[in-house]
């Protein structure tokens, strides 16, 4: 088995990053986390990555005059580390179309909603305001339009009376930590790939059952 070299891009605490690092410890995992990059030098996730023995770099976007030059610096670091796939994990910086096109089919993102609902920020607040009873998270290929890329996998959670943004976020993030390693596995072993703007899966799965909320 070839282990694909993966970079994780973060801006904050890096709990999804940690779940990917943990999953990649398994000998049969088809990816190796070769690099963690943050656009914020103070991102707590950088220390977590270093503690796990992974190369961790800050490329401070504030040190660059524009998005293009920042993205070129990212590309250079990714090239130096011979990276095959990128996982965005709480990376809160919009990438240029050129960068996204270069990494087309090789860059994925985790988003805290059931896309295409609630693109952008404040997803949990907006879900609570709308009174939806099912919420969740999505892993998708990255395309130039924000949070609009082809969907690889989703997990749903119930929304319960009395939920706050915090309680809902906590319920969703538990599922993020399960979903993201699974999705990375699928793109690295070829189970899911991007073809003509759609995700093509090389296996079938059990389609019985449904989540009911209230259960
Ligand atoms: C996660 O909930 C992730 O889904 C979200 O940021 C959080 C990062 O937490 N990403 C986005 O909102 C991207 N638009 P983490 O740093 O602990 O992984």
């Amino acid at each position: 088995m070839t282990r694909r070299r993966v970079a994780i891009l973060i801006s904050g605490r890096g709990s999804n990053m940690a779940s990917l690092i943990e999953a990649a410890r398994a000998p049969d995992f088809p990816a190796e986390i070769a690099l963690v990059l943050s656009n914020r030098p103070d991102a707590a996730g950088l220390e977590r990555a270093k503690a796990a023995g992974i190369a961790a770099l800050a490329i401070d976007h504030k040190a660059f005059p524009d998005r293009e030059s920042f993205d070129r610096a990212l590309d250079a670091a990714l090239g130096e580390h011979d990276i095959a796939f990128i996982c965005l994990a709480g990376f809160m910086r919009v990438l240029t179309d050129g960068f996204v096109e270069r990494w087309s089919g090789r860059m994925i993102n985790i988003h805290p909603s059931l896309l295409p609902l609630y693109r952008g920020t404040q997803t949990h607040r907006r879900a609570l305001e709308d009174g939806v009873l099912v919420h969740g998270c999505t892993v998708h290929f990255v395309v130039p339009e924000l949070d609009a890329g082809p969907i690889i996998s989703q997990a749903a959670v119930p929304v319960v009376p009395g939920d706050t943004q915090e309680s809902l976020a906590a319920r969703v993030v538990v599922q993020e930590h399960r979903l993201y390693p699974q999705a990375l596995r699928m793109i690295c072993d070829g189970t899911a790939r991007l073809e003509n703007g759609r995700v093509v899966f090389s296996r079938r799965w059990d389609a019985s059952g449904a989540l009911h909320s209230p259960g």
Side-chain angles (χ1 to χ4, degrees):
M1 179 192 66
T2 338
R3 280 159 71 85
R4 312 305 301 264
R5 290 176 65 80
V6 168
I8 306 175
L9 271 53
I10 63 168
S11 299
R13 66 184 170 178
S15 74
N16 276 290
M17 171 205 78
S19 75
L20 294 169
I21 291 173
E22 184 54 35
R25 285 191 210 284
D28 71 337
F29 199 80
E32 153 190 8
I33 309 305
L35 178 65
V36 170
L37 274 175
S38 172
N39 65 310
R40 297 183 53 120
D42 60 349
L46 282 176
E47 291 312 313
R48 283 178 95 165
K50 283 182 198 157
I54 289 165
L57 276 180
I59 302 183
D60 188 350
H61 65 271
K62 294 202 195 89
F64 296 86
D66 48 33
R67 288 188 191 277
E68 284 72 19
S69 54
F70 171 70
D71 286 4
R72 272 199 301 277
L74 280 184
D75 252 335
L78 295 163
E80 273 162 33
H81 287 81
D82 198 19
I83 296 302
F85 288 100
I86 299 174
C87 291
L88 305 182
F91 185 69
M92 304 311 262
R93 190 91 195 135
V94 174
L95 296 160
T96 57
D97 290 2
F99 184 93
V100 172
E101 299 292 2
R102 274 196 297 290
W103 288 92
S104 175
R106 300 185 296 144
M107 176 159 62
I108 61 177
N109 179 47
I110 187 147
H111 183 76
S113 78
L114 289 173
L115 289 171
L117 284 175
Y118 312 125
R119 293 175 180 170
T121 58
Q122 303 280 327
T123 57
H124 307 309
R125 181 179 61 70
R126 288 153 64 207
L128 288 171
E129 278 171 10
D130 284 349
V132 297
L133 296 181
V134 177
H135 185 48
C137 50
T138 302
V139 178
H140 62 93
F141 282 108
V142 179
V143 298
E145 193 182 341
L146 196 67
D147 301 328
I151 292 171
I152 301 165
S153 57
Q154 295 188 302
V157 302
V159 182
V160 303
D163 258 338
T164 60
Q165 287 185 57
E166 291 70 32
S167 64
L168 187 52
R171 193 172 308 123
V172 171
V173 86
V174 170
Q175 299 309 318
E176 293 187 35
H177 296 163
R178 293 180 57 195
L179 195 70
Y180 213 1
Q182 231 177 47
L184 179 60
R185 176 186 280 281
M186 289 197 295
I187 65 158
C188 286
D189 71 9
T191 303
R193 62 182 193 283
L194 187 65
E195 233 177 71
N196 302 321
R198 310 278 303 182
V199 181
V200 176
F201 295 94
S202 66
R203 68 167 169 85
R204 298 192 169 278
W205 57 88
D206 182 8
S208 61
L211 171 69
H212 290 245
S213 179

Coordinates of all heavy atoms in Angstrom, one line a residue, residues 10 12-17 48 89-92 109-112 120 124 147 173 176-177, ligand 1:
I10 N -4.6 24.5 8.9 CA -5.4 24.9 10.1 C -5.3 26.4 10.4 O -4.4 27.1 9.8 CB -5.0 24.1 11.4 CG1 -3.5 24.5 11.8 CG2 -5.1 22.6 11.2 CD1 -3.1 24.0 13.1
G12 N -6.7 27.2 13.8 CA -7.1 27.3 15.2 C -6.6 26.1 16.1 O -5.5 25.7 16.0
R13 N -7.6 25.6 16.9 CA -7.2 24.6 17.9 C -6.8 23.3 17.3 O -6.0 22.5 17.9 CB -8.4 24.4 18.9 CG -9.6 23.8 18.2 CD -10.8 23.6 19.1 NE -11.8 23.2 18.1 CZ -13.1 23.0 18.5 NH1 -13.4 23.1 19.7 NH2 -14.0 22.6 17.6
G14 N -7.3 22.9 16.1 CA -6.8 21.7 15.4 C -7.4 20.4 16.0 O -6.7 19.4 15.9
S15 N -8.6 20.4 16.4 CA -9.2 19.1 16.9 C -9.4 18.1 15.7 O -9.2 16.9 15.9 CB -10.4 19.3 17.7 OG -11.5 19.6 16.9
N16 N -9.8 18.6 14.6 CA -10.0 17.8 13.4 C -8.6 17.3 12.9 O -8.4 16.1 12.6 CB -10.7 18.5 12.3 CG -12.2 18.4 12.5 OD1 -12.8 17.3 12.3 ND2 -12.8 19.5 12.9
M17 N -7.6 18.2 13.0 CA -6.3 17.8 12.6 C -5.8 16.6 13.5 O -5.3 15.6 13.0 CB -5.3 19.0 12.9 CG -3.9 18.7 12.8 SD -2.9 19.9 13.7 CE -3.1 19.2 15.4
R48 N 0.2 21.1 19.0 CA -0.3 19.8 19.1 C 0.4 18.9 18.0 O 0.7 17.8 18.2 CB -1.8 19.7 18.8 CG -2.6 20.1 20.0 CD -4.1 20.1 19.7 NE -4.7 18.9 20.1 CZ -6.1 18.7 20.1 NH1 -6.8 19.7 19.8 NH2 -6.6 17.6 20.5
A89 N -8.7 22.0 7.7 CA -9.4 21.6 8.9 C -9.5 22.8 9.8 O -8.6 23.2 10.6 CB -8.5 20.5 9.6
G90 N -10.6 23.6 9.6 CA -10.7 24.8 10.4 C -9.7 25.9 9.8 O -9.3 26.7 10.6
F91 N -9.5 25.8 8.5 CA -8.6 26.8 7.9 C -9.5 28.0 7.4 O -10.3 27.8 6.5 CB -7.9 26.2 6.7 CG -6.9 27.1 6.0 CD1 -5.7 27.4 6.7 CD2 -7.1 27.6 4.8 CE1 -4.8 28.2 6.1 CE2 -6.2 28.4 4.2 CZ -5.0 28.7 4.8
M92 N -9.4 29.1 8.1 CA -10.3 30.2 7.9 C -9.8 31.3 7.0 O -10.0 32.5 7.2 CB -10.7 30.8 9.3 CG -11.3 29.8 10.3 SD -12.5 28.7 9.6 CE -14.0 29.5 10.2
N109 N -12.3 19.6 2.4 CA -12.6 20.5 3.5 C -13.7 19.9 4.4 O -14.5 19.1 3.9 CB -13.1 21.8 3.0 CG -13.5 22.8 4.1 OD1 -12.7 23.0 5.1 ND2 -14.6 23.4 4.0
I110 N -13.6 20.2 5.7 CA -14.7 19.8 6.5 C -15.5 21.0 6.9 O -14.9 22.0 7.3 CB -14.3 18.9 7.8 CG1 -15.6 18.4 8.5 CG2 -13.4 19.7 8.7 CD1 -15.4 17.1 9.1
H111 N -16.8 20.9 6.8 CA -17.7 22.1 7.1 C -18.7 21.7 8.1 O -19.4 20.6 8.0 CB -18.3 22.6 5.8 CG -19.1 23.8 6.0 ND1 -18.6 25.1 6.2 CD2 -20.5 24.0 6.1 CE1 -19.5 26.0 6.4 NE2 -20.7 25.3 6.3
P112 N -19.0 22.6 9.1 CA -19.9 22.2 10.2 C -21.4 22.4 9.9 O -22.1 23.1 10.6 CB -19.4 23.0 11.4 CG -18.9 24.2 10.8 CD -18.3 23.8 9.5
G120 N -20.6 29.1 4.7 CA -20.1 30.2 5.4 C -20.0 30.0 6.9 O -19.8 28.8 7.4
H124 N -24.0 26.9 13.3 CA -24.9 26.3 14.4 C -25.9 27.4 14.8 O -27.1 27.0 15.1 CB -24.0 25.9 15.6 CG -22.9 25.0 15.2 ND1 -23.1 23.9 14.4 CD2 -21.5 25.1 15.4 CE1 -21.9 23.3 14.2 NE2 -21.0 24.0 14.7
D147 N -17.5 26.6 0.1 CA -18.4 25.6 0.6 C -19.4 25.0 -0.4 O -20.5 24.5 0.0 CB -19.2 26.1 1.9 CG -18.2 26.6 3.0 OD1 -17.1 26.0 3.1 OD2 -18.6 27.5 3.7
V173 N -19.1 18.2 16.4 CA -17.7 18.0 16.3 C -17.3 16.6 16.6 O -16.3 16.0 16.0 CB -16.8 19.0 17.1 CG1 -16.6 18.6 18.5 CG2 -15.5 19.3 16.4
E176 N -17.6 15.1 13.3 CA -16.5 15.6 12.4 C -15.3 14.7 12.6 O -14.7 14.3 11.6 CB -16.2 17.0 12.7 CG -17.3 18.0 12.4 CD -16.8 19.5 12.6 OE1 -15.6 19.8 12.3 OE2 -17.6 20.3 13.0
H177 N -15.0 14.4 13.9 CA -13.8 13.6 14.1 C -13.9 12.2 13.6 O -12.9 11.5 13.4 CB -13.5 13.6 15.6 CG -13.2 15.0 16.2 ND1 -13.3 15.3 17.5 CD2 -12.9 16.1 15.5 CE1 -13.0 16.6 17.7 NE2 -12.7 17.1 16.5
Ligands
LIG1 C1 -14.6 22.7 12.8 O1 -15.9 22.7 13.4 C2 -14.7 22.8 11.3 O2 -15.8 22.1 10.8 C3 -14.9 24.3 11.2 O3 -14.1 24.9 12.1 C4 -13.9 24.1 13.2 C5 -12.4 23.9 13.4 O4 -12.2 23.2 14.6 N1 -14.6 24.7 9.8 C6 -15.2 25.7 9.2 O5 -16.1 26.4 9.7 C7 -14.7 26.0 7.8 N2 -15.6 26.8 7.1 P1 -10.8 22.4 14.9 O6 -9.7 23.5 14.7 O7 -10.9 22.0 16.3 O8 -10.7 21.3 13.9

